[in-house]
Amino acid sequence: MNKDVLNGLFRPKAVAVVGASATPGKIGYTVVKNLIDSKYEGNIYPINPKASDILGLKAYPSVKDVPGFIDAAVIVVPSTLVPQAVIECGEKGVKGLIIITSGFSEVGQKDLEAQIVQSANNYGMRILGPNIVGSLSNSDKLNASFAPFLPLAGKASLVSQSGALLIAIDAATYTRKVGFDKLISIGNMADVSIADIVEWLNEDENTTCISLYIEGLKDGRHFMEASRKARKPIVALKAGVSAHGAAAAASHTGSLAGAAKVYGAAFQQAGVLQATDLDNLFDTTLALSLQPPMNGENLLIITNGGGVGVLATDAAEKYGLPLKFAPADVQAELKKHMPEFGSAKNPVDLTGMAGNEWYADSVRFSLSHPWVDGLVVLYCETAMTDPQEIAIAIHKAIQESGEKNKPVAVSFVGGERSAQAMTWLVEHGIPAYGAPDKAVNALASLREYARIKEMAHEDTSICKNENREQALKVINAARAEGRESLTEVEAKQVFTAYGLPVTTTTLAHTEDEAVQMANKIGFPVVMKIVSPDILHKSDAGGVKVNIKDEKEVREAYQAILSNAKAYKADADIHGIAIQEMAPWGTEVILGSINDPTFGPTLMFGLGGIFVEVLKDVTFRVTPVSTSQALRMLGEIRGAPILGGVRGEAPRDRKMLADTICNYSSMILDLADEISESDANPVLVYEEGKGVKVVDARIILKKK
Ligand code: ADP
Ligand code: MG
């Protein structure tokens, strides 16, 4: 990131509008007018070879004719004229180009887009867009866009990949009372990426929360790195999570992964909160932009009404912050600020008799008590109290408590007076919501932010147990035969190269050879068809387990061959695998996909035949450290099974985590080779007894 250039782009001291127009209704007119109307204090230079004056400003034929410097040029000329405009801006020494013009990669004009980026970069310029609404900044009084006005002022900054949505959000900031400092339209992201802007906003003094509307990232790993390093909360709404998974998949993992899962994992790993919908993006942005993270689990709710208290209690559980009873000393003190029939437990019910003072006293005390990590204050409008006075009392109590590291959110339920009081609260830095569950959800987000921030900084050291050459030998041999899928035998050789514990496996080409090998491995053995044309071996009758003697080996050999031929007459059969029979263990699945956005991504879940039905799986973008792997084990619904249920001993989670870590190393190291893979099942034994990979599958990348 070149900070000076991006400062010029987003906080310019002088702006040119290339393609400025004196004709109302044209974008070139609107942009100039918006700059004037937003009371922009820098110089505005309309550029138009045919005009001498636009909206009372002197116009110039070219940026090169402008006497002073220009930081940013807003470009609105037709796409065919953009290359020339870029060159002239470059020669003028412009820093950033805000290219509103459309007609580039979004309509298939990729070369034209690449050309202007190349040309701009050659001059050291960066491009925002093309195909955007523009860029708006309250702190710079800059509306360099065709959106009608600056948003309601606030401390969050929003980056939107959708222009129409950005304009809609701009207007909605006033009705929803969620303020923003900057709104940045990113369009085709030909040059400046969301990651670049996250890095830049992280340094922007006027932004306390970064809010993102994302349709698809271009460089997922850069985004993750930028977000992980950010010291400000980031909340993202990812749209388009339903279609991606439709792509045909050859592995279990491929069919279970989808954009939703992978983006979800990436956001979590990068410390980015994920908004569930547009409403939630606003609500979360409001909380994150105004309040500190919640650094513990103890949420206290203060209310004047039992009903909203119960609703908030339900919401607390739903959003992962279940309420606990306040400790005795907290209760004793709070009891002083309510009538006899109030409740000091949690929710703290001050009763409908609660006036300003009770609210103020209980808020002040609660915030200063070490047990309380965060506070939700609820108020139901009553005939006896004035919402505005309650709001003032709450605000004053927060100030007086002197507490700056504990978040507070408020919900007033009532009519116009309550709505006005909430607007006042928001203006005074306290997020306020029309429903109690939303206030609780706001604190849950602040808690989640603290939690994922801790996780994003945890140990990421990865396992190194690699024999890349050995793996490549196997892969290249298969490629030489024109194959893109490895057999189980080959896949296990690749697994072994990365320290994964696989069952001893040999390949027999004749019945006699099979007998010999079985004797060598020791009975019982497992026999399986080995054919690149048969990926799901059991489906083809190609797996026989628990083979106890020579006679059974011979029978199985013939049976498997004839089953395979019946299943697929022209299958290329490499032979029959003879392998050690692993003792029973808990079945789990490890797998990977090579995600187009984030690269090698690992999946873990409970395995066996129901994996695709139960979908009890969790994802991580690689690399995955052992401690992250341990966390994955706890994330699936079936986690207690690994802990040992119904008198069974706990499973060897440590070895499983190490195995996940090695798996991650494998798919990362072989990112150019492996497209999908899975180990299904991996058998997990009692603590201290390790794990065993009994089946392996690798699909190669097309080359
Ligand atoms: P596929 O998934 O292609 O049908 P697998 O190799 O996974 O074939 O075998 C099917 C099932 O047989 C496995 O899920 C596992 O329960 C069992 N199995 C396979 N290999 C072994 C082995 N070496 N030891 C013990 N059980 C095995
Ligand atoms: Mg299998």
Coordinates of all heavy atoms in Angstrom, one line a residue, residues 300-309 333-334 336-339 347-368 375-382 384-401 408-414 418 425 430 436:
L300 N -24.8 -8.0 31.8 CA -25.9 -7.6 32.7 C -26.9 -6.8 32.0 O -26.6 -6.0 31.2 CB -25.3 -6.7 33.9 CG -26.3 -6.5 35.0 CD1 -26.3 -7.8 35.9 CD2 -25.9 -5.3 35.9
I301 N -28.2 -7.2 32.3 CA -29.3 -6.5 31.6 C -30.1 -5.7 32.7 O -30.5 -6.3 33.7 CB -30.2 -7.5 30.9 CG1 -29.4 -8.1 29.7 CG2 -31.5 -6.8 30.4 CD1 -30.2 -9.1 29.0
I302 N -30.3 -4.4 32.5 CA -31.1 -3.6 33.4 C -32.4 -3.2 32.6 O -32.3 -2.7 31.5 CB -30.3 -2.4 33.8 CG1 -29.1 -2.8 34.7 CG2 -31.2 -1.4 34.6 CD1 -28.2 -1.6 35.0
T303 N -33.5 -3.4 33.3 CA -34.8 -3.1 32.6 C -35.8 -2.5 33.5 O -35.7 -2.7 34.8 CB -35.3 -4.4 31.9 OG1 -36.6 -4.1 31.3 CG2 -35.5 -5.5 33.0
N304 N -36.8 -1.9 33.0 CA -38.0 -1.5 33.8 C -39.2 -2.3 33.5 O -40.2 -2.1 34.0 CB -38.3 0.0 33.6 CG -38.9 0.3 32.2 OD1 -38.7 -0.5 31.3 ND2 -39.5 1.4 32.1
G305 N -39.0 -3.3 32.6 CA -40.2 -4.1 32.3 C -39.8 -5.6 32.2 O -38.7 -6.0 31.6
G306 N -40.6 -6.5 32.8 CA -40.3 -7.9 32.8 C -40.3 -8.5 31.4 O -39.4 -9.3 31.1
G307 N -41.2 -8.1 30.6 CA -41.4 -8.7 29.3 C -40.1 -8.5 28.4 O -39.6 -9.4 27.9
V308 N -39.7 -7.2 28.3 CA -38.5 -7.0 27.5 C -37.3 -7.7 28.1 O -36.4 -8.1 27.4 CB -38.2 -5.5 27.2 CG1 -39.3 -4.9 26.3 CG2 -38.1 -4.7 28.5
G309 N -37.3 -7.8 29.4 CA -36.2 -8.5 30.1 C -36.1 -10.0 29.7 O -35.1 -10.5 29.4
E333 N -26.2 -4.5 46.2 CA -26.2 -3.0 45.9 C -27.3 -2.6 45.0 O -27.9 -1.5 45.3 CB -24.8 -2.7 45.3 CG -24.6 -1.3 44.8 CD -24.6 -0.3 45.9 OE1 -24.2 -0.6 47.1 OE2 -25.0 0.9 45.7
L334 N -27.6 -3.4 44.0 CA -28.7 -3.0 43.1 C -30.0 -3.0 43.8 O -30.9 -2.2 43.4 CB -28.7 -4.0 41.9 CG -27.6 -3.8 40.9 CD1 -27.5 -5.0 39.9 CD2 -27.6 -2.5 40.2
K336 N -30.8 -1.7 46.3 CA -31.0 -0.4 47.0 C -31.7 0.6 46.0 O -32.2 1.6 46.4 CB -29.7 0.2 47.4 CG -29.0 -0.6 48.5 CD -27.7 0.2 48.8 CE -26.8 -0.7 49.7 NZ -25.4 -0.3 49.7
H337 N -31.7 0.2 44.7 CA -32.2 1.2 43.7 C -33.5 0.6 43.0 O -33.7 0.9 41.9 CB -31.1 1.5 42.6 CG -29.8 1.8 43.2 ND1 -29.6 3.0 43.9 CD2 -28.6 1.1 43.2 CE1 -28.3 3.0 44.3 NE2 -27.7 1.9 43.9
M338 N -34.2 -0.1 43.8 CA -35.5 -0.6 43.2 C -36.5 -0.9 44.4 O -36.1 -1.0 45.5 CB -35.2 -1.9 42.4 CG -34.7 -3.0 43.3 SD -34.4 -4.5 42.3 CE -33.0 -4.0 41.3
P339 N -37.8 -1.0 44.0 CA -38.7 -1.3 45.1 C -38.6 -2.7 45.6 O -37.9 -3.5 44.9 CB -40.1 -1.1 44.4 CG -39.8 -1.2 43.0 CD -38.4 -0.8 42.7
P347 N -31.9 -10.7 34.3 CA -32.0 -9.3 34.2 C -32.4 -8.6 35.5 O -33.1 -9.1 36.3 CB -33.2 -9.1 33.2 CG -33.5 -10.4 32.7 CD -32.9 -11.4 33.5
V348 N -31.8 -7.4 35.7 CA -32.1 -6.6 36.8 C -33.4 -5.8 36.5 O -33.4 -5.0 35.6 CB -31.0 -5.6 37.1 CG1 -31.3 -4.7 38.2 CG2 -29.7 -6.4 37.4
D349 N -34.5 -6.1 37.2 CA -35.8 -5.5 36.9 C -36.0 -4.4 37.9 O -36.4 -4.6 39.1 CB -36.9 -6.6 37.0 CG -38.2 -6.0 36.5 OD1 -38.3 -4.8 36.3 OD2 -39.1 -6.8 36.3
L350 N -35.9 -3.1 37.5 CA -36.1 -2.0 38.3 C -37.6 -1.7 38.5 O -37.9 -0.9 39.3 CB -35.4 -0.7 37.7 CG -33.9 -0.8 37.4 CD1 -33.5 0.5 36.7 CD2 -33.1 -1.1 38.7
T351 N -38.4 -2.4 37.8 CA -39.9 -2.3 37.7 C -40.3 -1.0 37.0 O -39.5 -0.1 36.8 CB -40.5 -2.3 39.1 OG1 -40.4 -1.0 39.8 CG2 -39.9 -3.4 40.0
G352 N -41.6 -1.0 36.7 CA -42.2 0.2 36.0 C -42.1 1.5 36.8 O -42.3 2.6 36.3
M353 N -41.8 1.4 38.1 CA -41.6 2.6 38.9 C -40.3 3.3 38.7 O -40.1 4.4 39.2 CB -41.8 2.2 40.4 CG -43.2 1.8 40.8 SD -43.1 1.1 42.4 CE -42.7 2.5 43.4
A354 N -39.4 2.6 37.9 CA -38.0 3.2 37.8 C -38.0 4.5 37.1 O -38.6 4.7 36.0 CB -37.2 2.2 37.0
G355 N -37.4 5.5 37.8 CA -37.2 6.8 37.2 C -35.8 7.0 36.8 O -35.0 6.1 36.9
N356 N -35.5 8.3 36.5 CA -34.1 8.6 36.1 C -33.1 8.2 37.0 O -32.0 7.6 36.7 CB -34.0 10.1 35.9 CG -35.1 10.7 35.1 OD1 -35.8 9.9 34.4 ND2 -35.3 12.0 35.2
E357 N -33.4 8.4 38.3 CA -32.3 8.2 39.3 C -32.0 6.7 39.5 O -30.8 6.3 39.6 CB -32.8 8.7 40.7 CG -31.9 9.8 41.2 CD -32.5 10.6 42.3 OE1 -32.7 10.0 43.4 OE2 -32.9 11.8 42.0
W358 N -33.0 5.9 39.5 CA -32.7 4.4 39.7 C -31.9 3.9 38.5 O -31.0 3.1 38.6 CB -34.1 3.6 39.8 CG -34.7 3.8 41.1 CD1 -34.3 4.6 42.1 CD2 -36.0 3.3 41.5 NE1 -35.2 4.5 43.2 CE2 -36.3 3.8 42.8 CE3 -37.0 2.5 40.8 CZ2 -37.4 3.4 43.5 CZ3 -38.1 2.2 41.5 CH2 -38.4 2.7 42.8
Y359 N -32.3 4.4 37.3 CA -31.5 4.0 36.1 C -30.1 4.4 36.3 O -29.1 3.7 36.1 CB -32.1 4.6 34.8 CG -33.1 3.7 34.1 CD1 -34.5 3.9 34.2 CD2 -32.6 2.6 33.3 CE1 -35.3 3.0 33.5 CE2 -33.5 1.8 32.7 CZ -34.8 2.0 32.8 OH -35.7 1.1 32.1
A360 N -29.9 5.7 36.6 CA -28.6 6.3 36.7 C -27.8 5.5 37.7 O -26.6 5.1 37.5 CB -28.7 7.7 37.1
D361 N -28.3 5.3 38.9 CA -27.6 4.6 40.0 C -27.2 3.2 39.6 O -26.1 2.8 39.9 CB -28.4 4.6 41.3 CG -28.6 6.0 41.9 OD1 -27.8 6.9 41.5 OD2 -29.5 6.3 42.7
S362 N -28.1 2.5 39.0 CA -27.8 1.1 38.7 C -26.8 1.0 37.6 O -26.0 0.1 37.6 CB -29.1 0.3 38.5 OG -29.9 0.9 37.6
V363 N -27.0 1.9 36.6 CA -26.0 1.8 35.5 C -24.6 2.2 36.0 O -23.6 1.5 35.7 CB -26.5 2.8 34.3 CG1 -25.3 3.0 33.3 CG2 -27.7 2.3 33.6
R364 N -24.5 3.2 36.7 CA -23.2 3.7 37.2 C -22.5 2.6 38.0 O -21.4 2.2 37.8 CB -23.4 5.0 38.1 CG -22.0 5.7 38.3 CD -22.2 6.9 39.3 NE -23.3 7.7 39.0 CZ -24.5 7.8 39.7 NH1 -24.6 6.9 40.7 NH2 -25.4 8.6 39.4
F365 N -23.3 2.0 39.0 CA -22.7 1.0 39.8 C -22.3 -0.2 39.0 O -21.2 -0.7 39.2 CB -23.7 0.6 40.9 CG -23.3 -0.7 41.6 CD1 -22.3 -0.7 42.5 CD2 -24.0 -1.9 41.3 CE1 -21.9 -1.9 43.1 CE2 -23.6 -3.1 41.8 CZ -22.5 -3.1 42.7
S366 N -23.2 -0.7 38.2 CA -22.9 -1.9 37.4 C -21.7 -1.8 36.6 O -20.8 -2.7 36.5 CB -24.1 -2.3 36.5 OG -25.3 -2.4 37.2
L367 N -21.6 -0.7 35.9 CA -20.4 -0.5 35.0 C -19.1 -0.6 35.8 O -18.1 -1.0 35.3 CB -20.5 0.7 34.2 CG -21.2 0.7 32.9 CD1 -21.2 2.0 32.2 CD2 -20.6 -0.4 32.0
S368 N -19.1 0.0 37.0 CA -17.9 0.1 37.7 C -17.6 -1.2 38.5 O -16.5 -1.4 39.0 CB -17.9 1.2 38.7 OG -19.1 1.1 39.5
L375 N -23.1 -4.2 29.3 CA -24.4 -3.8 29.8 C -25.4 -3.5 28.7 O -25.1 -2.9 27.7 CB -24.1 -2.5 30.7 CG -25.2 -2.1 31.6 CD1 -25.5 -3.1 32.7 CD2 -24.8 -0.7 32.3
V376 N -26.6 -4.1 28.9 CA -27.7 -3.7 28.0 C -28.7 -3.1 28.9 O -29.2 -3.6 29.9 CB -28.3 -5.0 27.3 CG1 -29.7 -4.7 26.8 CG2 -27.4 -5.5 26.2
V377 N -29.1 -1.9 28.5 CA -30.1 -1.1 29.3 C -31.4 -1.1 28.5 O -31.4 -0.6 27.3 CB -29.7 0.3 29.7 CG1 -30.6 1.0 30.6 CG2 -28.3 0.2 30.3
L378 N -32.5 -1.6 29.1 CA -33.8 -1.6 28.4 C -34.8 -0.6 29.1 O -34.7 -0.4 30.3 CB -34.4 -3.0 28.4 CG -33.5 -4.2 27.9 CD1 -34.2 -5.5 28.1 CD2 -33.1 -3.9 26.5
Y379 N -35.6 -0.1 28.2 CA -36.6 0.8 28.8 C -37.9 0.7 28.0 O -37.9 0.8 26.8 CB -36.1 2.3 28.7 CG -37.1 3.3 28.9 CD1 -37.6 3.6 30.2 CD2 -37.6 4.1 27.9 CE1 -38.6 4.6 30.4 CE2 -38.6 5.0 28.0 CZ -39.1 5.3 29.3 OH -40.1 6.3 29.5
C380 N -39.0 0.5 28.8 CA -40.3 0.5 28.1 C -41.0 1.8 28.5 O -41.0 2.2 29.7 CB -41.2 -0.6 28.7 SG -40.8 -2.2 28.2
E381 N -41.5 2.5 27.5 CA -42.1 3.8 27.7 C -43.2 3.7 28.7 O -44.0 2.8 28.6 CB -42.6 4.3 26.4 CG -42.5 5.8 26.2 CD -42.9 6.3 24.8 OE1 -42.1 6.0 23.9 OE2 -43.9 7.0 24.7
T382 N -43.2 4.6 29.7 CA -44.3 4.6 30.7 C -44.9 6.0 30.7 O -44.4 6.9 30.2 CB -43.8 4.2 32.1 OG1 -43.0 5.3 32.6 CG2 -43.0 3.0 32.1
M384 N -45.4 7.6 33.4 CA -44.8 8.4 34.5 C -43.4 9.0 34.2 O -42.9 9.8 34.9 CB -44.6 7.5 35.7 CG -45.6 6.4 35.8 SD -46.8 6.8 37.0 CE -45.8 6.7 38.5
T385 N -42.7 8.4 33.1 CA -41.3 8.8 32.9 C -41.2 9.4 31.5 O -42.0 9.2 30.6 CB -40.4 7.6 32.9 OG1 -41.0 6.5 32.1 CG2 -40.2 7.1 34.4
D386 N -40.1 10.2 31.3 CA -39.9 10.8 30.0 C -38.6 10.1 29.4 O -37.5 10.2 30.0 CB -39.6 12.3 30.3 CG -39.1 13.0 29.0 OD1 -39.3 12.4 27.9 OD2 -38.6 14.1 29.1
P387 N -38.8 9.5 28.3 CA -37.7 8.8 27.6 C -36.4 9.6 27.5 O -35.3 9.1 27.7 CB -38.3 8.4 26.3 CG -39.7 8.5 26.4 CD -40.0 9.5 27.5
Q388 N -36.6 10.9 27.1 CA -35.4 11.8 26.9 C -34.7 11.9 28.3 O -33.5 11.8 28.3 CB -35.9 13.1 26.4 CG -34.7 14.1 26.1 CD -33.7 13.5 25.1 OE1 -34.1 12.9 24.1 NE2 -32.5 13.7 25.4
E389 N -35.4 12.1 29.3 CA -34.7 12.2 30.6 C -34.0 10.9 31.0 O -32.9 10.9 31.6 CB -35.7 12.6 31.7 CG -36.0 14.1 31.7 CD -37.1 14.5 32.7 OE1 -37.2 13.8 33.7 OE2 -37.7 15.5 32.5
I390 N -34.7 9.8 30.7 CA -34.0 8.5 31.0 C -32.7 8.4 30.2 O -31.7 8.0 30.7 CB -35.0 7.3 30.7 CG1 -36.3 7.4 31.5 CG2 -34.3 6.0 30.8 CD1 -36.2 6.9 32.9
A391 N -32.8 8.8 28.9 CA -31.6 8.7 28.1 C -30.5 9.6 28.6 O -29.4 9.1 28.7 CB -32.0 9.2 26.7
I392 N -30.9 10.8 29.1 CA -29.8 11.7 29.6 C -29.2 11.0 30.9 O -28.0 11.1 31.1 CB -30.4 13.1 29.9 CG1 -30.8 13.7 28.6 CG2 -29.5 13.9 30.7 CD1 -31.6 15.0 28.7
A393 N -30.1 10.4 31.7 CA -29.6 9.8 32.9 C -28.7 8.7 32.7 O -27.6 8.5 33.3 CB -30.8 9.3 33.8
I394 N -29.0 7.9 31.7 CA -28.2 6.7 31.3 C -26.8 7.2 30.8 O -25.7 6.8 31.3 CB -28.8 5.8 30.2 CG1 -30.1 5.1 30.8 CG2 -27.9 4.8 29.7 CD1 -30.9 4.4 29.8
H395 N -26.9 8.2 29.9 CA -25.6 8.7 29.4 C -24.7 9.3 30.5 O -23.5 9.1 30.5 CB -26.0 9.8 28.3 CG -24.8 10.5 27.8 ND1 -24.4 11.8 28.1 CD2 -23.8 10.1 26.9 CE1 -23.3 12.1 27.5 NE2 -22.9 11.1 26.7
K396 N -25.3 10.1 31.4 CA -24.6 10.7 32.4 C -24.0 9.7 33.3 O -22.8 9.8 33.7 CB -25.5 11.6 33.2 CG -24.8 12.6 34.1 CD -25.7 13.8 34.4 CE -25.2 14.6 35.6 NZ -25.7 14.2 36.9
A397 N -24.7 8.6 33.6 CA -24.2 7.6 34.5 C -23.0 6.9 33.9 O -22.0 6.5 34.6 CB -25.3 6.6 34.8
I398 N -23.1 6.7 32.6 CA -22.0 6.0 31.9 C -20.7 6.9 32.0 O -19.6 6.4 32.3 CB -22.3 5.7 30.4 CG1 -23.4 4.7 30.3 CG2 -21.1 5.2 29.7 CD1 -24.0 4.5 28.9
Q399 N -20.9 8.2 31.8 CA -19.8 9.1 31.9 C -19.2 9.1 33.3 O -18.0 9.0 33.5 CB -20.3 10.6 31.6 CG -20.9 10.8 30.2 CD -19.9 10.8 29.2 OE1 -18.9 11.6 29.3 NE2 -20.0 10.0 28.1
E400 N -20.1 9.1 34.3 CA -19.6 9.2 35.7 C -18.9 7.9 36.1 O -18.1 8.0 37.0 CB -20.8 9.5 36.6 CG -21.3 10.9 36.5 CD -22.7 11.2 37.2 OE1 -23.2 10.2 37.7 OE2 -23.1 12.3 37.1
S401 N -19.3 6.8 35.5 CA -18.7 5.6 35.9 C -17.2 5.6 35.5 O -16.4 4.9 36.1 CB -19.4 4.4 35.3 OG -18.9 4.2 33.9
V408 N -21.8 -0.8 26.2 CA -23.2 -0.6 26.6 C -24.1 -0.5 25.3 O -23.7 0.2 24.4 CB -23.4 0.7 27.4 CG1 -24.8 0.8 27.9 CG2 -22.4 0.7 28.6
A409 N -25.2 -1.1 25.3 CA -26.2 -0.9 24.2 C -27.5 -0.7 24.9 O -27.8 -1.2 26.0 CB -26.2 -2.0 23.3
V410 N -28.4 0.0 24.2 CA -29.7 0.4 24.8 C -30.8 0.0 23.9 O -30.7 0.0 22.7 CB -29.6 1.9 25.1 CG1 -31.0 2.4 25.4 CG2 -28.6 2.2 26.1
S411 N -32.0 -0.3 24.5 CA -33.2 -0.5 23.6 C -34.3 0.2 24.4 O -34.6 -0.1 25.5 CB -33.5 -1.9 23.4 OG -34.8 -2.0 22.7
F412 N -34.9 1.2 23.7 CA -36.2 1.8 24.2 C -37.3 1.3 23.4 O -37.3 1.4 22.1 CB -36.1 3.3 24.0 CG -35.2 4.0 25.1 CD1 -34.3 3.3 25.8 CD2 -35.4 5.4 25.3 CE1 -33.5 4.0 26.8 CE2 -34.6 6.1 26.3 CZ -33.7 5.4 27.0
V413 N -38.3 0.8 24.0 CA -39.5 0.3 23.3 C -40.6 1.3 23.6 O -41.0 1.5 24.7 CB -39.9 -1.1 23.7 CG1 -41.1 -1.6 23.0 CG2 -38.7 -2.1 23.5
G414 N -41.1 1.9 22.5 CA -42.2 2.9 22.7 C -42.5 3.6 21.5 O -42.3 3.0 20.4
S418 N -39.7 7.8 22.5 CA -38.6 6.9 22.6 C -37.6 6.9 21.5 O -36.4 6.9 21.6 CB -39.1 5.4 22.8 OG -39.7 5.3 24.1
L425 N -29.3 9.3 22.0 CA -28.3 8.4 22.6 C -27.2 8.1 21.6 O -26.0 8.1 21.9 CB -29.0 7.2 23.1 CG -29.7 7.3 24.5 CD1 -30.6 6.1 24.7 CD2 -28.6 7.3 25.6
I430 N -23.9 6.2 22.2 CA -24.5 4.9 22.7 C -25.4 4.3 21.7 O -26.5 4.8 21.4 CB -25.2 5.2 24.1 CG1 -24.3 5.9 25.0 CG2 -25.8 3.9 24.7 CD1 -24.9 6.6 26.2
P436 N -35.3 -5.2 22.1 CA -34.3 -5.6 23.1 C -33.3 -6.7 22.5 O -32.1 -6.6 22.8 CB -35.1 -6.2 24.2 CG -36.5 -6.4 23.6 CD -36.7 -5.4 22.5

